[in-house]
């Protein structure tokens, strides 16, 4: 969706003869002047999540122009249940895109709409988060995004290199998060 929105641009005046291809481009040129509305649902104020949201907002406004995009950021204050009414409101407003920042935001957005495109970020494992059996890396439907899954085998090798005499290594995770 982002590529299609940014591919549109101002056209030079066309000659009197209009081809079928040129006629097909006319609606796309008109769409470039349109303002897109993007809803961002972020689970909690946090340095990493705030940076992900800000990076998304910065790049989107850079690509589309500040005058062509309206971004509505809502933060659920750390309450997973609050993500549902946030994204439900975005669906009622018929936003053009939802950016879901963190697993509960993604899950709420997926439950709220199968039509509005959803981009997820700060999601470790989409297959687990979305309950997809045999996940192959593609969610499908209206959902896409980025994963923050760390290469655990490389981290284990690094720990062994740095601490070759270590007998026990602890790993912290959040048991309340489904894909932690």
């Amino acid at each position: 969706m982002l590529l299609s929105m940014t591919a549109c641009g101002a056209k030079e005046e066309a000659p009197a003869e209009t081809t079928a291809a040129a006629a097909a481009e006319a609606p796309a040129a008109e769409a470039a002047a349109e303002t897109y509305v993007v809803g961002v649902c972020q689970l909690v104020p946090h340095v990493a999540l705030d940076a992900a949201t800000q990076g998304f907002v910065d790049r989107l406004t850079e690509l589309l122009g500040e005058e062509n995009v309206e971004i509505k950021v809502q933060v659920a204050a750390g309450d997973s249940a609050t993500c549902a009414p946030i994204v439900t409101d975005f669906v009622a407003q018929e936003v053009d895109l939802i950016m879901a920042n963190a697993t509960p935001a993604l899950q709420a957005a997926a439950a709220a709409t199968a039509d509005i495109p959803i981009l997820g970020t700060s999601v470790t494992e989409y297959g687990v988060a979305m309950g997809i059996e045999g996940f192959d890396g593609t969610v499908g439907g209206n959902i896409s995004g980025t994963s923050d899954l760390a290469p655990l085998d490389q981290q284990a090798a690094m720990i062994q290199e740095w601490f070759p005499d270590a007998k026990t290594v602890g790993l912290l995770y959040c048991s309340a998060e489904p894909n932690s």
Side-chain angles (χ1 to χ4, degrees), residues 96-107:
D96 298 298
L97 176 72
I98 296 172
M99 196 274 266
N101 192 344
T103 301
L106 177 71
Q107 292 168 327

Side-chain angles (χ1 to χ4, degrees), residues 103-171:
T103 301
L106 177 71
Q107 292 168 327
T113 182
D115 299 319
I116 298 172
I118 300 167
L119 291 176
T121 191
S122 308
V123 176
T124 303
E125 218 289 338
Y126 281 78
V128 174
M130 304 303 301
I132 300 171
E133 293 289 327
F135 181 64
D136 65 0
T138 302
V139 175
N142 63 323
I143 300 171
S144 187
T146 59
S147 171
D148 60 10
L149 181 61
L152 298 177
D153 57 339
Q154 292 174 22
Q155 288 182 357
M158 181 179 63
I159 291 169
Q160 288 176 329
E161 179 183 331
W162 287 356
F163 306 101
D165 297 329
K167 302 282 185 234
T168 304
V169 176
L171 179 64

Side-chain angles (χ1 to χ4, degrees), residues 51-73:
T53 294
Q54 191 60 55
F56 173 78
V57 168
D58 291 348
R59 184 65 175 146
L60 195 58
T61 54
E62 178 184 321
L63 289 171
L64 298 177
E66 201 169 310
E67 66 281 355
N68 295 327
V69 64
E70 177 185 352
I71 301 173
K72 301 177 177 193
V73 178

Side-chain angles (χ1 to χ4, degrees), residues 84-104:
I86 290 172
V87 295
T88 299
D89 187 44
F90 290 156
V91 171
Q93 294 175 43
E94 298 181 351
V95 299
D96 298 298
L97 176 72
I98 296 172
M99 196 274 266
N101 192 344
T103 301

